[in-house]
Amino acid sequence: MRPFSAAEREQRLVRMQNSEYDILIIGGGITGAGIALDAQTRGMKTALIEMQDYAGGTSSRSTKLVHGGLRYLKQLQVKMVADVGKERAVVYENGPHVTTPEWMLLPFYKGGTFGALSTSFGLRLYDYLAGVKREERRKMLNVDATAAKEPLLKKEGLLGGGTYVEYRTDDARLTIEVLKKAVSAGADAVNYLKAEKLLYDNGKLTGVIAKDSIDGKEYRIMARQIVNAAGPWVDELRAKDHSKRGKTLRLTKGVHLVFDGARFPLRQAVYFDTKDKRMIFAIPRDGKTYVGTTDTDYIGDTAYPRMTEADRAYLLAACNEMFPGVRLTDRDVESSWAGLRPLIYEEGKSPSEVSRRDEIFTSPSGLITIAGGKLTGYRKMAEHVTDLIAKRLPVGSGPAWKPCSTRTMPLSGGDVGGSRAFPGFVRRMTAEGERLGLSGAEARLLTERYGSNVSELYRLAQEWRAEEAHGLPRIVYAIVRYSIESEMALKPVDLFIRRTGALFFDIDWVRTYKGQVIEYMADSLRYTEADKQAYAAELERELHAAVTPEDREEPDDAGEADYIAGSKTDQRSGEAAGPNV
C-alpha cells in the first residue's frame, strides 16, 4: 500500500475499522495534522479523520503568513506574540519549501495609528520577543526611503516607515506536508470521513461511528483517547458529547482579494492601517497581489463562507486609499477566498479585539478539545495537547512515551539541509529537471513547491505518455498524479484549491485544464458518471464563488467601517509561480 494514495483509501478505511488506536483525532486542519505528527512520533498509535478534504476549512483560507501577530502588541498580548513569534523560525527551518521570508513594510502617516516612535519601539520589541535573527531585524526608513521601497504608496501625509520580516506560506500545503510526515511515521489518516456518532463505555468516550461522504458507508473506529481538533466545528462535536458549556466559539470571517500583478504591480509587501484602525496586508506572490483581511462576525454555513459585496467594497476602498494610483474596481478582482477564524468568545469585544490564543478543554467523557490559536503556533499547540495525552494514557509494560521531537523535525519535503541550504538545493534540482527535459521554470516551480519530494515528481514526469494523460501536459500530469498517489486528492477541487492553490492564484490555469484533470481523475479513481458530474459541478461552484460576491444585501445602515469592525453581524445562510500550477 502506498503511504497516502487516494486509490487505496478504502483499504485504509477497512484497516482503521479493524484496529484500535491510542489516539483518534477529529479534524484534518493544521492543528489536527500537528497533533497527529507529534503523537505518532512519540510512539502513540494515531488515526485522523476529516469530514472535508485536509485543510478544507480555515487551514486553506488564512492570510497565508506564518507570522507572530505584530498587531497583538497593541492589545498587550505579549506572551502570545513571544510564543508564536519564536515558532516562525521553527516552521521555516522544518519546511523551507512551504515557508518563505517576506520583508514587510509598515508605513506610518500623519494622523495614523502609528508614528515613528511607536513603530520603532513596537518593531524592536517584536524582534526581541520573537527572537529574530540579526539579519532579519527591523529597519527604520525616512520618507524618501519608504516611498522608494514601494512607489505605489500614498505620498500625502507619509512620515516614514519600518521594515521587518514575516514568513509567507502556502497554508494548505503546509498542512498536507505535516500530515504526510505523520503518515510516513505510521499514522492513519482519511479525508471525507465524518464522525457521525460518539461511542461510550460506562460514560467514557471510546470511539466513533464515521460516515464516508464518498459512498455513504459507515466505519467503527476505536481509540483510547479522542481529540476534537475540528476548528470551526469544535462546538458541534462538544454538543454531541453533551459537554458544550462554559467557553464557546465565536466565528469571524476573513476575506482576501487577488489581483493580477500587471494591474496591481506591488513590489513590496505592505502592512497598513485603515481609517477604522484595522490592519491589512497587501502581498505580492507569483505574479499576483493579494489583499486582506476583513474581520466580521459570522453566522451561516460553516463549510462554505463567501465574499459579499460589502467585503469586496471594503478591501477595494482600503487599497485605493493606500495605493491611490492603482484605482482598482470590482472588475480587477481575479479571485478571492473567505475563511473562518474559530476564536474563543469574549464578552464585549469586537472581532478584531478577540484574542487569538488557544485553549484546551477536557470533558467528563474524556474528550479533549483544542480551540482557538493561530496557524503559526500549530506545533506548540500540538505539543501541549500531546503532553496532556501522554499524562492521561498509561503505556502498559512498555517504555514511556517519547518526548516531543517536532521542533527540529523536517516536514515531508523538508529534507533539504535547512533553510540556508534550500537555495542551493533549488539550483541543483532545477538543473536536474532541465536535464530530464523540463523547462527551467517548470523544474524550479516543482522544486520550490515539493522540496525534497521533487524527485518523485520528476519520475512521474518521465512516465508521461500522451495516450494515457487525457491531454494533460507533462508537468500538469506529474502534479495531478502525485496529488492522487501521494497526497490523497480525491476530487478536482482538492487539486485546484488545496494541493496547488491555483484557484486562488492562477484561476486561468484552472479554467484551462479543468476538463482534462476531471477526465484523468475519473479514469484513475474510477468515478461513476454521477461522481464525475457532481465533482465537475462542485468545481464550477468554487470558480463562481471566487469571483462573484454572495447574493445578499447588507442592511441599509451598515456602513463599511461599522460592518468590518463587527457592529453588524454577518448573517447569512450560504451554500453548503511561472504558471502557478
Side-chain angles (χ1 to χ4, degrees):
M1 182 184 290
R2 293 183 65 85
F4 211 27
S5 171
E8 294 166 351
R9 176 175 169 277
E10 189 170 351
Q11 296 169 249
R12 188 176 298 276
L13 283 166
V14 171
R15 186 175 73 195
M16 289 171 70
Q17 180 167 249
N18 294 329
S19 302
E20 183 167 359
Y21 294 91
D22 291 315
I23 301 174
L24 170 63
I25 300 157
I26 300 173
I30 188 63
T31 304
I35 297 168
L37 176 59
D38 195 341
Q40 184 66 39
T41 53
R42 292 200 204 192
M44 301 176 190
K45 187 175 182 180
T46 303
L48 178 148
I49 61 176
E50 163 58 47
M51 70 175 185
Q52 302 184 107
D53 184 29
Y54 309 116
T58 301
S59 296
S60 59
R61 297 175 179 274
S62 72
T63 304
K64 305 185 187 300
L65 290 174
V66 174
H67 68 108
L70 175 63
R71 74 184 180 92
Y72 304 127
L73 284 179
K74 286 172 58 180
Q75 301 168 12
L76 301 180
Q77 296 182 36
V78 174
K79 186 178 186 304
M80 190 187 77
V81 172
D83 289 345
V84 299
K86 291 182 174 67
E87 282 296 300
R88 299 179 313 159
V90 175
V91 178
Y92 179 39
E93 283 303 314
N94 291 341
H97 62 305
V98 286
T99 315
T100 305
E102 182 84 52
W103 279 96
M104 197 72 60
L105 174 62
L106 180 62
F108 47 89
Y109 287 82
K110 184 177 181 180
T113 303
F114 299 100
L117 185 61
S118 60
T119 299
S120 179
F121 175 76
L123 292 179
R124 184 182 290 276
L125 178 59
Y126 185 67
D127 284 348
Y128 171 74
L129 292 172
V132 174
K133 47 194 172 187
R134 184 176 298 276
E135 64 269 27
E136 294 184 354
R137 292 177 186 167
R138 71 99 170 92
K139 298 178 178 65
M140 297 303 296
L141 308 174
N142 62 24
V143 174
D144 292 340
T146 301
K149 272 281 186 187
E150 181 44 68
L152 293 178
L153 279 175
K154 176 177 65 175
K155 307 301 188 296
E156 182 184 353
L158 181 63
L159 299 176
T163 61
Y164 68 105
V165 169
E166 295 285 26
Y167 292 82
R168 180 164 52 85
T169 191
D170 183 323
D171 49 4
R173 286 217 56 83
L174 174 63
T175 303
I176 295 293
E177 299 292 31
V178 173
L179 196 51
K180 283 160 64 181
K181 185 71 171 184
V183 169
S184 70
D188 281 319
V190 174
N191 50 359
Y192 295 104
L193 188 68
K194 182 179 181 180
E196 289 279 2
K197 182 180 179 182
L198 302 181
L199 303 175
Y200 298 86
D201 183 4
N202 292 322
K204 294 302 179 183
L205 189 57
T206 57
V208 305
I209 300 294
K211 185 175 182 179
D212 186 354
S213 68
I214 303 300
D215 61 14
K217 292 181 182 177
E218 291 189 340
Y219 297 87
R220 185 185 184 92
I221 305 173
M222 308 301 291
R224 299 166 67 200
Q225 177 65 64
I226 295 179
V227 176
N228 175 10
W233 294 269
V234 296
D235 277 353
E236 291 184 25
L237 202 59
R238 292 171 75 200
K240 285 186 178 183
D241 183 54
H242 306 291
S243 59
K244 183 185 171 183
R245 48 185 173 269
K247 293 183 178 181
T248 58
L249 287 190
R250 176 179 184 173
L251 300 183
T252 71
K253 185 181 72 171
V255 171
H256 296 78
L257 306 182
V258 182
F259 306 89
D260 187 74
R263 182 65 188 84
F264 189 176
L266 195 72
R267 66 189 196 191
Q268 162 72 56
V270 180
Y271 189 35
F272 62 97
D273 61 336
T274 63
K275 289 181 177 179
D276 58 349
K277 306 304 181 184
R278 291 200 66 254
M279 299 297 296
I280 288 180
F281 290 99
I283 302 172
R285 169 177 164 161
D286 301 333
K288 308 294 179 182
T289 295
Y290 72 99
V291 178
T293 179
T294 59
D295 207 354
T296 55
D297 280 313
Y298 183 79
I299 300 172
D301 184 351
T302 310
Y304 201 56
R306 289 275 303 275
M307 168 185 69
T308 65
E309 289 188 6
D311 296 326
R312 185 176 65 182
Y314 176 82
L315 289 174
L316 286 171
C319 286
N320 287 329
E321 170 70 20
M322 183 54 59
F323 311 102
V326 295
R327 298 177 183 175
L328 298 168
T329 70
D330 297 351
R331 293 186 299 276
D332 296 315
V333 179
E334 281 198 349
S335 187
S336 71
W337 68 87
L340 301 181
R341 306 175 189 87
L343 307 178
I344 309 296
Y345 181 81
E346 293 180 77
E347 185 71 34
K349 291 193 174 182
S350 74
S352 296
E353 293 172 329
V354 177
S355 173
R356 270 56 176 169
R357 70 180 184 275
D358 58 278
E359 293 198 38
I360 299 172
F361 311 130
T362 302
S363 80
S365 74
L367 176 69
I368 293 176
T369 296
I370 175 74
K374 291 170 57 61
L375 173 73
T376 310
Y378 85 88
R379 193 198 64 83
K380 288 297 291 185
M381 291 163 62
E383 184 178 350
H384 293 154
V385 171
T386 313
D387 282 346
L388 176 60
I389 294 168
K391 292 176 183 176
R392 290 168 57 95
L393 280 187
V395 294
S397 59
W401 303 121
K402 299 173 185 175
C404 177
S405 59
T406 57
R407 192 177 189 282
T408 57
M409 182 184 295
L411 306 181
S412 176
D415 292 303
V416 298
S419 62
R420 293 187 185 279
F422 188 57
F425 175 85
V426 170
R427 288 191 295 271
R428 292 193 304 276
M429 295 309 295
T430 298
E432 174 67 17
E434 290 178 298
R435 285 193 293 272
L436 294 173
L438 296 174
S439 71
E442 290 173 334
R444 186 176 185 86
L445 182 149
L446 293 180
T447 303
E448 290 182 337
R449 177 181 295 166
Y450 297 100
S452 55
N453 291 321
V454 71
S455 296
E456 179 67 9
L457 277 292
Y458 288 168
R459 181 186 68 80
L460 296 174
Q462 294 304 107
E463 293 180 2
W464 176 86
R465 301 291 180 271
E467 62 274 14
E468 299 172 359
H470 291 276
L472 293 174
R474 186 184 301 272
I475 184 175
V476 182
Y477 166 85
I479 290 170
V480 175
R481 190 172 158 193
Y482 182 78
S483 298
I484 293 170
E485 295 181 1
S486 297
E487 297 184 334
M488 206 181 274
L490 280 173
K491 302 179 181 182
V493 291
D494 302 342
L495 172 85
F496 287 123
I497 298 178
R498 268 83 60 179
R499 305 307 183 278
T500 65
L503 191 136
F504 300 148
F505 293 106
D506 198 350
I507 199 166
D508 287 340
W509 185 83
V510 181
R511 294 178 177 128
T512 298
Y513 293 113
K514 62 182 182 180
Q516 297 97 308
V517 166
I518 290 169
E519 291 298 329
Y520 181 83
M521 294 186 77
D523 188 35
S524 298
L525 296 172
R526 299 179 181 177
Y527 292 168
T528 65
E529 188 58 33
D531 289 338
K532 190 169 148 183
Q533 295 301 320
Y535 298 159
E538 182 180 27
L539 178 58
E540 290 301 324
R541 184 181 73 171
E542 292 287 358
L543 283 165
H544 177 78
V547 298
T548 309
E550 180 187 23
D551 184 16
R552 179 178 66 82
E553 292 195 12
E554 298 302 324
D556 291 340
D557 61 345
E560 287 175 6
D562 284 344
Y563 175 78
I564 298 301
S567 61
K568 305 295 180 185
T569 299
D570 182 5
Q571 296 180 338
R572 61 172 296 278
S573 58
E575 306 169 274
N580 182 31
V581 296

